[in-house]
């Protein structure tokens, strides 16, 4: 590296004659040149760290290295570095000449800005003093001006106040002039304008102005209302209003007036004029409201002309059904309810044909019949609210009242289309005290009905036992009566206005179902010893019927809506787990699921008890058949005709008799479950206790197959097309035992050589074996005794 060191020192040789400062400048320039070659950022950074020499050495090492031939690059490097040095010097000179000029310019701008700032501060001080001086001078003027402005504003308020009074007085004068000229329609229209002014002033704090306006409206409203009411009542009297007679005789009565067209024209005119007073009437008249505890839905007041038309009927109602009149009997709510229905029916035709066209012309969508019915309904609601506290604790009277009210509601909605969203009797019955009493009475009478239906002599007899098509379910009278009771309760509460009240009734129904289930269980336990008896089967039919009906009800729209309401209640109260809430929300479960599950469990227990009872009898009857000598029976060729084994007769007779008995006593669905479960148990019993417990010669195997396929299986043929498919174990065992010798030997070889392999399964399937396992078939083959002596 000597050469490299010498080369590194070469540029410094001319600097030996220079001063120290000059040498320093040259070194700095050399640093700059090197920075230009290696990269300004890296070299400058490393130069600051004192590593310049090492970087120079590294640079020369990189460019020259140990190759002496590379020395020819030195001239080019020196030339390049010299050129870079000159460029950098020019840049330094340029920058050093420009910076002072910029600094000078910046200083000059700063001086100018300072001067401007001082000028602005002087101006601000002058203006501040001028403004303070002006404010001091103008203060008295401002105080005088403020007082004048307040006076002006007060005068403007007085003027506005006077304008309102003037406007009201002007309207009042106009009404007076119209009335003097008997121009009632214009007077009514002007009163509407005055009432609208009253409505606009409602938010004003001018109490005296409000009182004056209201008094003026009230004054003219009374005059106009009295005049129009008198004229309207006179026209109604000419039409023989109200109609006490039925609708059939009304057309005759209405055709008698000589000037009928003129009367109807006056009726329309007065009706329209009275409609104009509706706004002022609503301002001045507070509608009658029942106490808030009845939670009646908000509804507008009945239109004024209909109110006037209702007046004579209201008088009649109060005359007959208030006070000490003989018609006001608390035990006869049907009297006033029937009277109201009759009035609605008597006036429906007139309202639809004469009044509704007038309302249609005026414009607002008002239903004349509905307005008329609403007015009469308020009479009924007031009467109910007054009567119910007097009979709340007399069960018979209260129950009678509820029955009559429900009949009234049904007719009101079905015949006259009264919407359930308007105030109705169900809102009165939904009041808390009344509703709780209703629930109590409903429960009491339902329990009494259940007692009577279960103690009846015909409780377990079907009403339709002689009608096969109708009596498919074989429902005993008590179960049908009970479900009818639940259905009636549903009809009674389905029109309640709130879901919470409906859910309380639903809980009552579920309690009644549970109570009835417990009663059925108690009666069933008394009949346990006779589990095949008539009453036991009737109880089983009853349980099945109730469960089936409840499952059908669960899909009813009404109960689905209740399920949704219950879901919301349970979610709010956190009474159910998330899984149960999810099942309710997804309709996987229903509101009756708990009851249905309990009934299904009871049904299963009762059916199981019946199957076990019959199965015990079958096992007793099969004792002789089990002892049959299957090893020594003659072969089929030795018998002229195959006949049933005598020892099998008790078994088959028992099965036949019990099937016929229970088919007669159980409904179709229950009997189907019964015989299928019995067949399953019987199949396993014969297979295990008779087939596997014996050895069979050719005659024994043939006899077993004959007994089963020609005698036992056909007993069930009336219940299904292929009964042998329900006796899979016995049927396949007979197949194995009755295989001819060749097939049996071949099958045995296949099973022994291909244990658990597909060929074994295929061989079994070929001979008709699908249920039995390979090991079972091998056991059955070993039960055969008719193997040839040379066989394996």
């Amino acid at each position: 590296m000597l050469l490299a060191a010498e080369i590194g020192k070469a540029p410094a040789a001319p600097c030996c004659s220079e001063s120290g400062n000059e040498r320093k400048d040259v070194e700095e320039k050399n640093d700059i040149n090197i920075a230009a070659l290696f990269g300004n950022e890296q070299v400058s950074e490393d130069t600051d760290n004192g590593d310049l020499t090492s970087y120079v050495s590294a640079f020369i090492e990189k460019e020259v290295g140990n190759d002496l031939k590379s020395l020819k690059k030195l001239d080019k490097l020196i030339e390049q570095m010299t050129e870079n040095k000159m460029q950098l010097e020019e840049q330094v000179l340029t920058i050093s000449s420009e910076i002072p000029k910029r600094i000078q310019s910046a200083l000059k701008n700063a001086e100018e800005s300072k001067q401007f700032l001082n000028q602005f501060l002087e101006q601000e001080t002058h203006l501040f003093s001028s403004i303070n001086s002006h404010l001091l001078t103008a203060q008295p003027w401002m105080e005088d001006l403020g007082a004048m402005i307040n006076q002006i504003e007060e005068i403007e308020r007085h003027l506005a106040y006077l304008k309102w009074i003037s406007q009201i007085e002007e309207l009042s004068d106009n009404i007076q002039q119209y009335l003097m000229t008997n121009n009632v329609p214009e007077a009514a229209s002007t009163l509407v304008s005055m009432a609208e002014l009253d409505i606009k002033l409602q938010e004003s704090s001018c109490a005296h102005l409000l009182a004056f306006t209201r008094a003026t409206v009230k004054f003219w409203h009374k005059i106009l209302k009295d005049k129009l009411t008198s004229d309207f009542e006179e026209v109604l009297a000419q039409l023989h209003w109200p109609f006490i007679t039925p609708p059939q005789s009304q057309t005759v009565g209405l055709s008698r007036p000589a000037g009928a067209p003129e009367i109807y024209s006056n009726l329309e005119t007065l009706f329209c004029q009275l409609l104009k007073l509706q706004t002022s009437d609503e301002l001045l008249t507070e509608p009658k409201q029942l106490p808030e505890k009845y939670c009646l839905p908000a509804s507008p007041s009945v239109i004024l002309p209909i109110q006037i038309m209702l007046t004579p009927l209201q008088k009649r109602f109060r005359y007959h059904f208030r006070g000490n009149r003989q018609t006001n009997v608390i035990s006869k709510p049907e009297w006033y309810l029937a009277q109201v229905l009759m009035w609605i029916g008597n006036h429906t035709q007139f309202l639809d044909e004469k009044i509704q066209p007038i309302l249609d012309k005026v414009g607002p969508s008002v239903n004349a019949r509905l307005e008329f019915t609403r007015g009469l309904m308020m009479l009924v609601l007031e009467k109910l609210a007054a009567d119910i506290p007097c009979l709340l604790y007399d069960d018979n009277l209260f129950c009678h009242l509820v029955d009559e009210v429900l009949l009234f509601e049904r007719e009101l909605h079905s015949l006259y289309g009264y919407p359930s969203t308007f105030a109705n009797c169900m809102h009165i019955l939904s009041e808390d005290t009344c509703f709780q009493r209703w629930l109590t009475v409903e429960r009491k009478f339902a329990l009494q009905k259940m007692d009577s239906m279960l103690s009846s002599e015909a409780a377990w007899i079907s009403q339709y036992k002689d009608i096969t098509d109708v009596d498919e379910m074989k429902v005993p009278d008590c179960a049908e009566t009970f479900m009818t009771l639940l259905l009636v309760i549903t009809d009674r509460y389905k029109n309640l206005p709130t879901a919470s009240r409906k859910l309380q009734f639903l809980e009552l129904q579920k309690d009644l179902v549970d109570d009835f289930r417990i009663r059925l269980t108690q009666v069933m336990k008394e009949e346990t010893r006779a589990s095949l008896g008539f009453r036991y089967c009737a109880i089983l039919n009853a349980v099945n019927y109730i469960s089936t009906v409840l499952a059908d009800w669960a899909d009813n729209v009404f109960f689905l809506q209740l399920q949704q309401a219950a879901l919301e209640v349970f979610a709010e109260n956190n009474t159910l787990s998330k899984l149960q809430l999810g099942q309710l929300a997804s309709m996987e479960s229903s509101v009756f699921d708990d009851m249905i599950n309990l009934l299904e469990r009871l049904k299963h227990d009762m059916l199981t008890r019946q199957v076990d009872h019959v199965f015990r009898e079958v096992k007793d009857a099969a004792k002789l058949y089990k002892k049959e000598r299957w090893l020594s029976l003659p072969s089929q060729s030795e018998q002229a005709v195959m006949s049933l084994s005598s020892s099998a007769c008790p078994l088959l007779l028992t099965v036949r008799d019990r099937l016929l008995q229970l088919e007669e006593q159980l409904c179709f669905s229950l009997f189907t479950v019964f015989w299928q479960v019995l067949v399953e148990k019987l199949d396993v019993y014969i297979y295990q206790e008779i087939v596997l417990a014996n050895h069979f010669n050719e005659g024994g195997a043939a006899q077993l197959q004959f007994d089963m396929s020609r005698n036992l299986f056909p007993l069930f043929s009336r219940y299904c097309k292929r009964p042998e498919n329900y006796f899979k174990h016995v049927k396949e065992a007979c197949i194995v035992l009755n295989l001819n010798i060749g097939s049996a030997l071949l099958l045995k070889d296949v099973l022994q050589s291909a244990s658990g392999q597909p060929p074994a399964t295929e061989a079994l399937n070929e001979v008709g074996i699908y249920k039995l396992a390979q090991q079972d078939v091998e056991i059955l083959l070993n039960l055969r005794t008719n193997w040839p002596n040379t066989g394996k």
Side-chain angles (χ1 to χ4, degrees), residues 330-348:
I330 198 170
S331 61
K332 298 291 183 181
E334 61 269 26
W335 287 359
Y336 65 83
L337 294 175
Q339 184 65 72
V340 169
L341 287 174
M342 186 180 70
W343 283 341
I344 295 173
N346 290 349
H347 297 87
T348 295

Side-chain angles (χ1 to χ4, degrees), residues 382-397:
E382 291 171 3
K383 176 67 175 171
L384 277 176
D387 284 357
I388 284 177
C390 301
L391 47 81
L392 201 57
Y393 298 102
D394 188 320
D395 291 347
N396 292 320
L397 289 181

Side-chain angles (χ1 to χ4, degrees), residues 377-424:
M377 277 300 297
M378 285 308 299
L379 296 173
V380 174
L381 300 184
E382 291 171 3
K383 176 67 175 171
L384 277 176
D387 284 357
I388 284 177
C390 301
L391 47 81
L392 201 57
Y393 298 102
D394 188 320
D395 291 347
N396 292 320
L397 289 181
F398 182 78
C399 189
H400 177 65
L401 172 69
V402 172
D403 289 340
E404 292 298 330
V405 166
L406 293 175
L407 288 173
F408 170 78
E409 283 286 321
R410 185 178 298 118
E411 191 166 350
L412 188 66
H413 294 302
S414 60
L415 291 183
Y416 302 110
Y418 187 75
S420 57
T421 53
F422 285 90
N424 56 63

Side-chain angles (χ1 to χ4, degrees), residues 178-247:
Y178 289 136
L179 289 178
M180 290 174 64
T181 58
N182 203 26
N183 191 351
V184 177
E186 289 298 328
S189 299
T190 308
L191 181 60
V192 172
S193 301
M194 188 183 293
E196 290 173 351
L197 288 181
D198 190 317
I199 294 171
K200 290 180 181 178
L201 286 170
Q202 292 302 310
E203 298 180 358
S204 172
S205 58
C206 301
H208 296 294
L209 177 61
L210 286 171
F212 170 71
T213 307
R214 181 60 57 86
T216 307
V217 172
K218 186 176 182 180
F219 174 79
W220 290 118
H221 176 78
K222 185 178 185 307
I223 293 174
L224 285 171
K225 183 178 178 180
D226 290 346
K227 176 176 177 53
L228 291 173
T229 300
S230 175
D231 295 343
F232 192 58
E233 288 176 345
E234 183 178 347
V235 172
L236 290 174
Q238 293 176 3
L239 296 172
H240 306 291
W241 181 274
F243 306 137
I244 307 303
T245 58

Side-chain angles (χ1 to χ4, degrees), residues 471-757:
D471 196 36
E472 182 181 350
M473 296 286 289
K474 292 183 172 61
V475 187
D477 183 63
C478 63
E480 187 166 7
T481 306
F482 175 71
M483 295 311 293
T484 303
L485 172 66
L486 290 185
L487 186 62
V488 169
I489 292 175
T490 303
D491 288 337
R492 290 160 73 84
Y493 78 83
K494 70 189 303 182
N495 290 321
L496 282 169
T498 60
S500 61
R501 296 303 193 198
K502 294 176 185 177
L503 287 173
Q504 287 179 270
F505 256 104
L506 178 64
E507 288 302 315
L508 168 62
Q509 287 180 303
K510 293 165 70 173
D511 290 344
L512 292 176
V513 172
D514 198 46
D515 189 275
F516 194 71
R517 178 188 61 82
I518 293 172
R519 292 169 187 245
L520 290 178
T521 305
Q522 292 171 346
V523 179
M524 180 269 294
K525 289 180 179 179
E526 297 173 0
E527 301 292 329
T528 302
R529 293 183 180 179
S531 58
L532 303 182
F534 168 76
R535 179 174 290 191
Y536 191 93
C537 292
I539 295 170
L540 184 51
N541 287 330
V543 172
N544 179 67
Y545 175 70
I546 296 171
S547 176
T548 303
V549 173
L550 290 180
D552 290 340
W553 285 3
D555 295 328
N556 184 279
V557 174
F558 174 72
F559 288 109
L560 289 175
Q561 291 172 344
L562 282 188
Q563 180 174 337
Q564 182 62 32
L567 177 64
E568 296 173 1
V569 172
F570 293 148
E572 290 176 1
N573 300 335
N574 293 323
T575 54
L576 292 180
S577 66
K578 292 183 177 179
L579 175 61
Q580 291 171 316
L581 288 174
Q583 290 174 339
L584 276 176
S586 62
M587 301 301 175
E588 292 180 10
S589 62
S590 70
V591 290
F592 294 113
D593 266 11
D594 294 340
M595 297 297 100
I596 293 174
N597 291 337
L598 291 173
L599 290 167
E600 287 295 317
R601 188 182 306 168
L602 176 59
K603 181 177 76 173
H604 178 266
D605 292 344
M606 294 181 71
L607 266 176
T608 302
R609 190 174 286 112
Q610 283 188 325
V611 172
D612 291 343
H613 182 95
V614 173
F615 189 61
R616 283 195 302 270
E617 291 184 348
V618 169
K619 287 195 295 183
D620 290 339
K623 287 179 180 178
L624 291 175
Y625 195 59
K626 287 174 61 177
K627 297 177 181 178
E628 188 71 52
R629 298 182 63 82
W630 304 102
L631 266 174
S632 58
L633 291 178
S635 65
Q636 189 173 0
S637 60
E638 297 175 3
Q639 302 181 55
V641 179
M642 290 287 291
S643 61
L644 174 67
S645 301
S646 58
S647 58
C649 291
L651 166 65
L652 298 179
L653 286 173
T654 301
V655 173
R656 185 202 64 180
D657 292 344
R658 291 314 184 194
L659 287 176
L660 292 175
Q661 177 186 352
L662 292 175
E663 182 185 12
E664 180 69 22
Q665 293 179 352
L666 293 179
C667 71
F668 176 77
S669 60
L670 287 175
F671 178 69
T672 301
V673 175
F674 167 81
W675 74 256
Q676 289 179 354
V677 175
L678 179 63
V679 163
E680 184 179 349
K681 294 174 73 69
L682 191 58
D683 178 43
V684 174
Y685 173 76
I686 294 174
Y687 177 70
Q688 292 179 349
E689 301 295 328
I690 296 176
V691 177
L692 296 180
N694 291 282
H695 285 77
F696 296 84
N697 65 359
E698 183 181 353
Q703 187 63 50
L704 177 67
Q705 186 173 31
F706 180 81
D707 293 343
M708 297 295 106
S709 62
R710 300 293 297 275
N711 293 279
L712 178 61
F713 297 169
L715 290 178
F716 298 89
S717 60
R718 63 182 295 173
Y719 315 124
C720 61
K721 290 182 179 181
R722 300 181 63 84
E724 63 273 12
N725 289 337
Y726 290 91
F727 290 90
K728 286 187 169 56
H729 291 88
V730 173
K731 183 185 76 169
E732 294 184 1
C734 290
I735 292 174
V736 175
L737 293 175
N738 285 277
L739 282 174
N740 59 54
I741 296 298
S743 299
L745 286 172
L746 181 60
L747 179 61
K748 194 172 185 180
D749 290 339
V750 171
L751 295 180
Q752 289 177 352
S753 60
S755 178
Q757 299 300 318

Side-chain angles (χ1 to χ4, degrees), residues 43 113 168 295 359 435 496:
V43 174
S113 298
I168 294 167
C295 299
L359 288 170
F435 184 77
L496 282 169

